[in-house]
Amino acid sequence: MTFRAREIRLTSRPSGVPTADNFAVAEVELPDPAQGQALVRNLWMSVDPYMRGRMYDRESYVPPFQIGEALQGGAIGEVVASSDPSLQKGDLVESFLGWREAFIAPAGSLQKLPAHNVAPQAFLGVLGMPGLTAYAGLLEIGQPQAGNTVFVSGGAGAVGSVVAQIAKIKGCKVVASVGSEEKARWLKSAGVDEVVNYKSCGNLLEAVRVAAPNGIDVYFDNVGGDHLEVALEVANPFARFVECGMISQYNNLSSQPGPNNLFYIVGKSLKLQGFIVIQFQHLRDKFVADMTQWIGEGRMKWEETVFSGIENAPSAFIGLFSGANTGKMLVKLA
Ligand SMILES: NC(=O)c1ccc[n+]([C@@H]2O[C@H](COP(=O)([O-])OP(=O)(O)OC[C@H]3O[C@@H](n4cnc5c(N)ncnc54)[C@H](OP(=O)(O)O)[C@@H]3O)[C@@H](O)[C@H]2O)c1
């Protein structure tokens, strides 16, 4: 018996912000799984800003996507058929084979989801890669102390909203920047002290100065560019800068001038450290345990923005660059 499934392929490398014509839907036929394999129907897939980096043809910490091939990314699926005793029909599994409705893979390459009372797609967000990014970046690099002020850009996103709430749990004052009033309202309702709408505030530096009159001790950077420059300006001596992402730069058509105040790194004795979440896989069990506890105590809230259907995955991805998501951007496939 064959199984028909659609997938999204990259048809051209984006120039600037990606557009729909950089992608195409294709249909494939999947045979029965061979010995040791499973056939999985994806239920949810993730779109993430780092995927933009894989659309450039350049060396990085992950290889570039290839033209004409299906894209890849985090996904949660259900086993439809298995020829391996480790997986049964109906099992929920996590894979890196998103951007397709179904796939066949070696059973050993699939992670069975742990029993949990949250919806499975939370393992693509608050309990998954973005959650671990927030947890490890903030706690290991940011080293927040009770009473510190933490500034997080991209504050209403998948990573940023978790950073903001962990910082609150650790007894910090939290200032977040976001791109809409609706996002600001949500973060306030989740307990964030001060939220700056960088699109409407007029002068970001002044707005952050007002929100953090005693300066900042930790900056969690999701945005780069003007936000990084502002953070350098308001940083207290010995502040820690967690360089997680720079989404404002990902679609640049030419190189942009960097922050013009990098000299503060010396004068204020700042520490800036970039990281990639895979470097913190060893924290996964502790992260899941802590996050599960915080969720159970009602101290961790999350939002999802959901596009439906594989054909809408490119729109969901493109939407990341205009702030179309509050919380985790997801595509529901089945
Ligand atoms: N280092 C790592 O291992 C790692 C892992 C995961 C993610 N990241 C990085 O973490 C950051 C957040 O990722 P995420 O998955 O949580 O995405 P996200 O924040 O859920 O979604 C992206 C958000 O970025 C904001 N944005 C888009 N363009 C912007 C611009 N030009 N200036 C300011 N804000 C802009 C938008 O929110 P607004 O409406 O607020 O503008 C948008 O909703 C990204 O930079 C990503 O690359 C790094």
Side-chain angles (χ1 to χ4, degrees):
M1 196 191 85
T2 54
F3 194 93
R4 299 180 79 79
R6 292 176 300 163
E7 63 184 28
I8 303 291
R9 296 180 183 167
L10 188 68
T11 54
S12 55
R13 300 200 181 278
S15 170
V17 179
T19 56
D21 58 6
N22 298 130
F23 306 89
V25 184
E27 195 170 274
V28 292
E29 285 192 353
L30 301 171
D32 288 332
Q35 195 58 40
Q37 293 182 330
L39 169 62
V40 176
R41 187 172 58 118
N42 274 333
L43 306 176
W44 295 91
M45 59 163 271
S46 177
V47 288
D48 298 275
Y50 79 86
M51 293 170 177
R52 178 66 183 90
R54 296 191 69 185
M55 292 174 188
Y56 291 101
D57 190 13
R58 67 180 179 206
E59 240 180 76
S60 183
Y61 60 95
V62 271
F65 292 129
Q66 295 303 314
I67 303 293
E69 290 185 7
L71 294 111
Q72 295 173 349
I76 303 292
E78 182 181 23
V79 174
V80 175
S82 172
S83 298
D84 190 274
S86 67
L87 289 177
Q88 308 300 318
K89 189 170 184 287
D91 282 347
L92 293 182
V93 291
E94 186 175 354
S95 78
F96 210 61
L97 290 166
W99 294 90
R100 66 205 81 206
E101 290 177 317
F103 61 88
I104 288 175
S109 68
L110 304 171
Q111 288 273 113
K112 241 201 259 196
L113 281 200
H116 214 289
N117 58 3
V118 298
Q121 70 272 21
F123 287 89
L124 297 175
V126 68
L127 275 165
M129 184 278 280
L132 178 59
T133 302
Y135 178 90
L138 179 66
L139 299 182
E140 296 291 305
I141 299 174
Q143 299 279 324
Q145 311 295 313
N148 279 176
T149 298
V150 175
F151 175 37
V152 52
S153 56
V159 174
S161 58
V162 175
V163 169
Q165 293 177 85
I166 297 176
K168 285 306 302 174
I169 289 167
K170 296 294 173 187
C172 300
K173 170 177 173 169
V174 178
V175 176
S177 69
V178 299
S180 78
E181 291 305 313
E182 186 199 341
K183 293 182 185 191
R185 275 195 295 277
W186 171 55
L187 278 189
K188 284 275 200 178
S189 75
V192 173
D193 300 286
E194 301 287 341
V195 187
V196 170
N197 180 343
Y198 72 91
K199 287 186 179 162
S200 66
C201 69
N203 182 323
L204 183 60
L205 174 58
E206 285 315 309
V208 175
R209 271 199 211 286
V210 169
N214 298 321
I216 64 168
D217 305 294
V218 178
Y219 173 50
F220 195 105
D221 194 7
N222 288 313
V223 167
D226 57 346
H227 280 73
L228 177 54
E229 194 167 292
V230 163
L232 286 162
E233 203 70 35
V234 300
N236 290 328
F238 302 102
R240 285 81 64 199
F241 279 50
V242 186
E243 292 305 322
C244 174
M246 298 199 179
I247 196 168
S248 70
Q249 312 295 303
Y250 295 173
N251 294 306
N252 284 347
L253 287 168
S254 57
S255 64
Q256 301 293 309
N260 64 19
N261 54 357
L262 287 173
F263 53 80
Y264 280 131
I265 296 171
V266 179
K268 297 184 184 184
S269 305
L270 306 177
K271 184 168 153 191
L272 281 79
Q273 186 180 330
F275 74 105
I276 302 297
V277 62
I278 44 181
Q279 294 152 357
F280 290 107
Q281 285 305 323
H282 59 283
L283 294 182
R284 180 166 281 279
D285 289 350
K286 183 160 177 11
F287 153 69
V288 172
D290 284 347
M291 192 58 83
T292 301
Q293 184 185 333
W294 295 331
I295 291 170
E297 293 168 352
R299 300 169 89 189
M300 183 61 60
K301 312 247 186 305
W302 66 94
E303 287 281 315
E304 295 167 349
T305 297
V306 178
F307 282 58
S308 286
I310 191 80
E311 67 281 9
N312 289 314
S315 301
F317 173 67
I318 294 165
L320 291 170
F321 302 100
S322 60
N325 59 308
T326 300
K328 181 71 193 113
M329 184 71 104
L330 290 165
V331 184
K332 190 173 195 300
L333 296 177

